[in-house]
Amino acid sequence: MSFEVPYGELEVGLGWHGHYWRLEMPKPRADEPSVMSHQTEAFILFQHLSLSRGEVILGRATRIWKAWLEDEMNIPLSQRTVCFFLEAF
């Protein structure tokens, strides 16, 4: 699901086709990082690094995205954590 993110300071590109993507993922447990907790954390996908033929996909494909933690959207751009997502199908 995509939507227009209500943050006026998204300075990196215009998203993909004018939209940013919000993604929720399970959050790792603090005491055992390899096990997921019941909590989630949200990310804002803001830039693609690889979208080769992303609109017409035949067979297998891989897409790589850069993302920010949604909780950090209120801090300056240079201080935000940048995360990477690999999407393979």
Side-chain angles (χ1 to χ4, degrees):
M1 174 184 299
S2 76
F3 60 95
E4 292 186 36
V5 179
Y7 303 109
E9 63 179 60
L10 290 177
E11 300 162 6
V12 181
L14 292 174
W16 195 52
H17 293 297
H19 285 77
Y20 292 90
W21 299 80
R22 183 178 184 274
L23 176 69
E24 284 190 17
M25 299 286 295
K27 194 172 193 173
R29 286 180 31 183
D31 61 338
E32 214 175 327
S34 62
V35 177
M36 297 296 121
S37 68
H38 296 289
Q39 298 175 330
T40 61
E41 56 188 341
F43 299 87
I44 304 297
L45 303 177
F46 69 90
Q47 183 181 17
H48 66 272
L49 298 177
S50 172
L51 283 179
S52 303
R53 302 179 191 266
E55 294 183 273
V56 181
I57 298 172
L58 303 171
R60 296 182 180 155
T62 301
R63 295 186 281 200
I64 301 169
W65 296 88
K66 287 173 80 174
W68 291 307
L69 285 164
E70 187 177 48
D71 291 343
E72 294 184 356
M73 294 303 290
N74 60 341
I75 64 174
L77 189 63
S78 62
Q79 295 177 3
R80 294 180 194 163
T81 304
V82 176
C83 305
F84 293 87
F85 284 87
L86 176 95
E87 176 185 21
F89 48 96

